[in-house]
Amino acid sequence: MTDLARRALAEAVGTGLLVTAVIGSGIMAQRLSPGDVGLQLLENSTATAFALTVLILIMGPVSGAHFNPVVSLADWLLSRRDGLKGLVYLPAQVAGAIGGAVLANLMFELPAITTSTHLRTGPALWLGEIVATAGLVTLIFALTRTGRAALAPPAVGAYIGAAYWFTSSTSFANPAVTLGRTLTDTFAGIAPASAPGFIAAQLIGAGLGLALVRLLYPADPLPHLDRPEDDRESHRSGQQPQRPGR
């Protein structure tokens, strides 16, 4: 298997398991705490935050653990290198998200694919997605541009867990995950008609996050999201780290 194929596989599996965690924990929460939406959200957000942290730890050394098309796009826009990686990552992430939704549904003895009827629309929810995505992009690239990529797993997990609660949209912040969640008519679902508005808001949020990163961290002394363990070693030795594919 080529290095790019291996990284794409990591992105597909990681994104898929993230969607499985989001949907699966939502289904479990709905069954364990019927009638208590607040408790359901607490259970769903806690499981998602922990799962995301673990998945970043597993897949980060392989692919950078983007699991998110806007993160891959932001990485390319900031570096202008390795455009082929982005072309491979994005379909892998979407395919993984679809597979993750199917897996979650099947684990709970539901039809493999059901179209969600959960409408999530309106300016307030779109603003929530803009805020959630802008914060996520800013966090990730603030860490990588300051040599603190090792903190990404707990930091990103904590941010997403918190953003479930402080954003009106419960922080999807991910176009691939949004598409995956259209395929389950459960607590975590989103109606297909609502997905375009969420994705548009996520793209706007990513753009705002990128602008903030460029203003706050104009220099980029370290590589971006691939091979963080190599980045840290190069940084400690004082050498200019090598970017994958160079």
Side-chain angles (χ1 to χ4, degrees):
M1 179 179 288
T2 66
D3 183 62
L4 184 58
R6 185 171 60 89
R7 287 189 276 166
L9 176 61
E11 285 298 300
V13 172
T15 308
L17 291 177
L18 174 59
V19 172
T20 298
V22 172
I23 294 175
S25 62
I27 297 171
M28 182 66 82
Q30 202 168 26
R31 292 182 179 181
L32 292 176
S33 309
D36 191 336
V37 178
L39 184 55
Q40 291 170 12
L41 186 62
L42 177 61
E43 293 160 346
N44 187 211
S45 62
T46 302
T48 299
F50 285 158
L52 181 55
T53 299
V54 170
L55 290 169
I56 295 172
L57 286 170
I58 295 171
M59 301 300 181
V62 181
S63 68
H66 297 193
F67 308 153
N68 189 333
V70 298
V71 173
S72 297
L73 180 60
D75 186 41
W76 179 76
L77 288 173
L78 285 171
S79 66
R80 295 292 183 176
R81 292 182 174 89
D82 204 0
L84 178 61
K85 179 183 72 178
L87 293 176
V88 173
Y89 274 23
L90 268 60
Q93 291 158 354
V94 172
I98 293 171
V102 170
L103 177 58
N105 287 332
L106 291 176
M107 282 199 301
F108 287 91
E109 298 183 316
L110 298 172
I113 292 177
T114 54
T115 302
S116 177
T117 57
H118 190 169
L119 291 172
R120 302 176 189 257
T121 188
L125 296 185
W126 298 333
L127 179 58
E129 278 301 283
I130 291 172
V131 170
T133 311
L136 177 63
V137 169
T138 302
L139 169 63
I140 290 171
F141 292 98
L143 292 175
T144 58
R145 286 197 160 200
T146 56
R148 297 176 294 162
L151 297 176
V156 173
Y159 175 80
I160 291 298
Y164 259 85
W165 291 89
F166 73 73
T167 64
S168 55
S169 62
T170 66
S171 183
F172 286 44
N174 186 327
V177 169
T178 301
L179 292 174
R181 291 171 70 166
T182 66
L183 304 178
T184 182
D185 194 19
T186 63
F187 176 82
I190 178 173
S194 300
F198 264 52
I199 293 172
Q202 290 156 6
L203 291 172
I204 293 170
L208 292 175
L210 274 174
L212 190 57
V213 169
R214 288 185 182 279
L215 288 171
L216 295 176
Y217 307 98
D220 183 15
L222 298 174
H224 296 138
L225 302 181
D226 291 323
R227 313 290 174 79
E229 73 283 1
D230 293 343
D231 300 350
R232 294 193 300 274
E233 182 61 34
S234 298
H235 187 57
R236 285 195 297 267
S237 66
Q239 299 172 351
Q240 179 64 28
Q242 295 297 307
R243 298 177 186 272
R246 181 179 288 177

